[in-house]
Amino acid sequence: GSNLDKQAAGAGRIVVGLYGKEAPETAAMFEQLFAGTLPAKCQEVDFSAATAREELQKKQPVKQCKAAEKKPVNLEDSSVFSIEKDSIISFGRLKGKFMLREAPSNGDEGARLSHDRKGLLSTRRGGGTFVFGITAGDKDSEELDANSVVFGEVLEGMDLVDKLNNTPVKAYVA
């Protein structure tokens, strides 16, 4: 894995509690994903606009996905991939044979818990993604509230969240 993975591996672990009453579908999906029991079919890939080279590059991952489609999805091959200091630590993007799996949608769009402190677990409203975040700051975030649903919180391991939050990263410039 990455240097960040190696740094975090020896630092401890993060234990989360899920808000099953406030965001039941998201909490259940995360629990299944974490346990490695979440079924998820492969995404349909449209090759019509692809060049011959792009089609060759895309066919192998599609073939791998289809071959492993009966195997449940898990977070085993995922990692932290983005740290926005004092805002959000993003993780969960799937790789390898799970890369093209289709994430389930959820009906938790109405859940209105606020991203008002650090240590909250959230994902995009409506689902459709395996990307999750842990808030890393204490300020309320209207942007996160508008686009993401809170479905849990860190119970143990805030020291690791703080360590990740303070990890030097290069700023992305578009």
Side-chain angles (χ1 to χ4, degrees), residues 13 19 38 63 74 83 120 126 132 151 161:
R13 65 187 212 149
Y19 299 156
L38 181 69
K63 187 177 176 182
N74 63 52
I83 299 171
L120 297 174
F132 304 96
F151 68 95
V161 172

Side-chain angles (χ1 to χ4, degrees), residues 77-118:
D77 293 324
S78 69
S79 62
V80 171
F81 63 86
S82 174
I83 299 171
E84 294 177 43
K85 185 157 176 55
D86 298 329
S87 180
I88 192 114
I89 299 166
S90 300
F91 68 96
R93 186 181 293 160
L94 301 181
K95 298 186 238 174
K97 63 185 175 253
F98 298 137
M99 176 173 64
L100 293 176
R101 294 296 183 93
E102 194 171 296
S105 58
N106 67 57
D108 295 333
E109 296 93 354
R112 291 289 170 201
L113 297 174
S114 183
H115 293 78
D116 59 356
R117 65 188 187 280
K118 67 181 173 178

Side-chain angles (χ1 to χ4, degrees), residues 14-20 22 27 30-31 117 119-122 150-156:
I14 295 172
V15 177
V16 298
L18 303 177
Y19 299 156
E22 294 84 352
F30 185 80
E31 186 173 27
R117 65 188 187 280
L120 297 174
L121 189 61
S122 69
V150 173
F151 68 95
E153 69 179 277
V154 173
L155 301 175
E156 297 174 25

Side-chain angles (χ1 to χ4, degrees), residues 12 23-24 28 32 42 46 50 52 61 66-67 82 108 110 115-116 127-128 131 136 141 147 156 165 174:
Q32 284 184 304
C42 294
D46 180 13
K66 291 289 186 189
S82 174
D108 295 333
H115 293 78
D116 59 356
V131 174
S141 174
N147 299 315
E156 297 174 25
N165 185 47

